[in-house]
Amino acid sequence: MKKSLIALASVAALLFSVQAAEEEGFRPLFNGKDTTGWHLRNPQGHNSWTVENGMLKNTVAKGSHGTDLVTDAKFMNFTVKYEYMVPDDSNSGFYLRGRHEIQILGDHASGQASPICNGSIYNFKAPDKFVSKPGNEWQTAEATIIGNKITVVLNGVKIHDNVECDKATGSELDRNVDQPGSIFLQGDHGTVSFRNIRIKELK
């Protein structure tokens, strides 16, 4: 009986969270089951992505390379929320419109903000505060891009506030920064896991 009540409570909590997401206008970009809606940046590249237990995981051995994963759909103004776990010293990135990289780096031990640290707008602006978590912990991110301005909240802390970014930050899909673009997950550098990726388009 106790187990049944716990199971029911878990289902209720899940339904509540789904309903809340719907009420807020967010929709999932990753369905938790497969990579429907996504494609490899290079169709001939090594596919290092797998889906397990509701996670989208990129596994890249040291010295090897994987392939970036790109959404089929393109977006202009939006807020995107996602969770990621990056092992210590591993490297990835989350690209807005396929051009502006929010750096993902297992750098908790460094304790220092820089233009290339976890949460930075890669090689463009350091986060206002260093809030990286250890490699065995999930990190939560929320990024909003409207026009040329980017705001990022990492692990509950606002680290970029309406930062003007008029250029691509490297490894971009193209340099058409004033046009809609795909979300892409950097897969060629290191191991990383994602879950709960969802987006809300803005006017």
Side-chain angles (χ1 to χ4, degrees), residues 119-203:
S120 64
I121 301 174
Y122 184 74
N123 211 26
F124 183 81
K125 180 186 174 292
D128 294 336
K129 187 174 181 180
F130 184 84
V131 293
S132 292
K133 290 186 176 182
N136 62 346
E137 295 185 22
W138 285 99
Q139 307 195 52
T140 60
E142 176 180 319
T144 299
I145 183 167
I146 300 175
N148 66 348
K149 294 182 179 179
I150 298 172
T151 297
V152 179
V153 176
L154 181 62
N155 298 324
V157 178
K158 185 179 286 188
I159 57 171
H160 300 292
D161 189 2
N162 278 324
V163 176
E164 292 188 14
C165 187
D166 287 316
K167 68 175 187 177
T169 59
S171 298
E172 62 275 355
L173 297 178
D174 60 49
R175 296 184 179 180
N176 304 321
V177 295
D178 60 346
Q179 299 297 315
S182 299
I183 300 294
F184 97 70
L185 311 178
Q186 197 170 54
D188 64 337
H189 285 2
T191 294
V192 64
S193 297
F194 294 94
R195 68 183 184 187
N196 297 330
I197 309 172
R198 56 238 193 255
I199 196 166
K200 177 180 180 179
E201 294 188 76
L202 307 171
K203 292 182 180 180

